[in-house]
Amino acid sequence: MATNVILARMGEVTLKGLNRGRFETQLMGNLRYRLRVFGKLSIFQKQSRIWIEAKDEDNPYFADEDSAKELMIAVSQVFGIVSVSLARKFEGDINDIDSNAEAYVKHHLENNPKHRSFKVECKRGNKKFPLNSPMICEEVGGYILEHFPNLTVDVHEPDFILNVEVREFNYVYAGRIQGHRGLPVGTAHKGMLLLSGGIDSPVAGYMMASRGMPIDAVYFHSYPYTSEQAKQKVIDLAKIVSRFSGRMNLYIVDFTKIQLDMVKNSPHDMLTIVMRRVMLQIAEQLALKADCKCLITGESLGQVASQTLEAIAITNEVVDMPILRPLIGMDKEATIEVSRNIGAFETSILPFEDCCTIFVAKHPKTHPKHSDIEEAEKNLDIEAMVKQGVEEGLEVITI
């Protein structure tokens, strides 16, 4: 009797040599945590494959491709997974492979009526099976042609590929959902993301999570100059990032009084850089309390006035913690493409301004010197500002 199972393929994890076991253990734990809402599942790993099966026969997520899609997408969003397929699992000889391949192709064509060509690919992990991989491909391909006369074989650009795997059980499947690759979250230490309501910072958080880094996030809120809708927008973006990064704490800093003090006592052309320096110092203090080892920003070199090399160097000076900028060499279109792929773009472009945009100078200084920042901050009590941001009105939301 055939049953449906989920097949997930590992990627970079398999290259980890002596550390591979630790990465695989983390990946399996992340999958179990992510899939806990899909009923009782058996999840096990063998030969660079992860197999996910329902423990209950009536689990609705394994009925067919449509019902399995939500589960498969959830698997694909776990970093460390390259691709995911719904496979038909069964025992038997080549005759059983033929009949199950026929049943699978019949169902596939019902959902994809325009498909007219195919090819067969086979992996034979069970070396005791009497036919080798080319022989299995030839046999199954001929059987499918005999039973589906409207199909033709195209080994170069087929409409679909029928995959056969012969292991301790046999499997047939076609098609796959691409995963997000990367390394399992939890294999690196935690970082603190400076999260705004724009396009860049959610992508930066996603990219660092893809390298195995759990993240917390900090958002600077200047009510009433920034609205409650702007705050909710950032919370929604944090939820989107957490689909990939897992549980996070979102620290919402009451930035209004601090920002008004800057506006009153700093030159307008230096305001953005002064603000960034204070933000980084507040974020660093929160990061230390949260056991984070780095800060993460969505800056891209030269994209705006505060992201020139001189401005970045001056903002770096105020913290001891490393600042990771995964978008530093990316252009805006590349960032937007990632934003769309992770489902954040439509939320990021909602028309609610954040504190970084409401007091922007028309002609900001793009190549600041040390003398400029000394002059800009001479009337500010930076230490008091940082203490105020960390201690007064701080809100923490667990995502």
Side-chain angles (χ1 to χ4, degrees), residues 52-316:
I52 303 167
E53 302 179 4
K55 289 185 176 180
D56 300 325
E57 293 184 2
D58 59 349
N59 188 311
Y61 295 103
F62 289 81
D64 52 38
E65 289 184 9
D66 289 336
S67 60
K69 189 172 183 180
E70 183 182 354
L71 172 57
M72 293 170 68
I73 289 174
V75 175
S76 75
Q77 291 176 339
V78 176
F79 287 122
I81 297 299
V82 171
S83 60
V84 186
S85 299
L86 179 67
R88 189 178 179 92
K89 173 186 175 182
F90 55 94
E91 294 182 289
D93 57 15
I94 189 62
N95 294 321
D96 296 288
I97 294 176
D98 283 340
S99 60
N100 278 278
E102 178 189 3
Y104 195 100
V105 170
K106 180 180 179 182
H107 181 74
H108 178 85
L109 294 178
E110 289 173 354
N111 293 324
N112 303 274
K114 294 183 179 180
H115 283 186
R116 292 289 181 267
S117 62
F118 77 103
K119 69 179 288 189
V120 179
E121 292 184 354
C122 178
K123 293 182 182 294
R124 188 184 66 141
N126 177 11
K127 300 306 180 184
K128 295 181 179 179
F129 198 82
L131 303 180
N132 61 26
S133 294
M135 295 168 66
I136 294 170
C137 289
E138 182 179 353
E139 164 62 29
V140 174
Y143 190 90
I144 296 301
L145 285 173
E146 179 181 347
H147 288 78
F148 298 92
N150 291 331
L151 289 179
T152 60
V153 172
D154 185 341
V155 297
H156 300 294
E157 294 183 357
D159 291 329
F160 70 97
I161 298 174
L162 180 65
N163 294 274
V164 179
E165 296 200 15
V166 178
R167 300 179 183 274
E168 68 276 16
F169 291 92
N170 304 319
Y171 304 87
V172 295
Y173 57 92
R176 59 188 63 187
I177 293 176
Q178 293 301 316
H180 290 257
R181 300 180 181 274
L183 296 174
V185 173
T187 53
H189 217 294
K190 187 165 59 172
M192 179 67 76
L193 170 68
L194 277 73
L195 181 62
S196 72
I199 296 171
D200 300 332
S201 57
V203 173
Y206 161 85
M207 291 181 68
M208 292 316 305
S210 78
R211 303 314 302 158
M213 180 177 288
I215 60 174
D216 282 342
V218 54
Y219 164 61
F220 296 88
H221 189 53
S222 294
Y223 182 82
Y225 300 97
T226 50
S227 65
E228 286 300 310
Q229 292 99 321
K231 176 181 172 181
Q232 184 59 50
K233 174 183 174 181
V234 172
I235 294 172
D236 292 340
L237 287 171
K239 290 178 180 178
I240 292 170
V241 175
S242 73
R243 295 174 191 166
F244 304 94
S245 67
R247 176 191 176 104
M248 73 164 71
N249 289 318
L250 173 62
Y251 298 85
I252 300 176
V253 175
D254 184 354
F255 205 55
T256 308
K257 292 180 181 178
I258 299 171
Q259 195 163 21
L260 289 175
D261 193 6
M262 294 177 191
V263 172
K264 181 180 178 181
N265 295 298
S266 290
H268 210 53
D269 63 351
M270 287 292 293
L271 185 59
T272 301
I273 294 174
V274 172
M275 181 175 64
R276 294 291 293 175
R277 283 164 61 97
V278 173
M279 283 180 169
L280 286 173
Q281 291 176 80
I282 293 172
E284 182 180 44
Q285 293 303 309
L286 294 173
L288 290 170
K289 291 183 177 182
D291 194 29
C292 297
K293 300 299 184 184
C294 68
L295 303 178
I296 307 163
T297 76
E299 293 165 293
S300 174
L301 186 62
Q303 185 166 268
V304 295
S306 63
Q307 296 174 17
T308 63
L309 196 57
E310 293 90 341
I312 288 173
I314 282 180
T315 56
N316 278 1

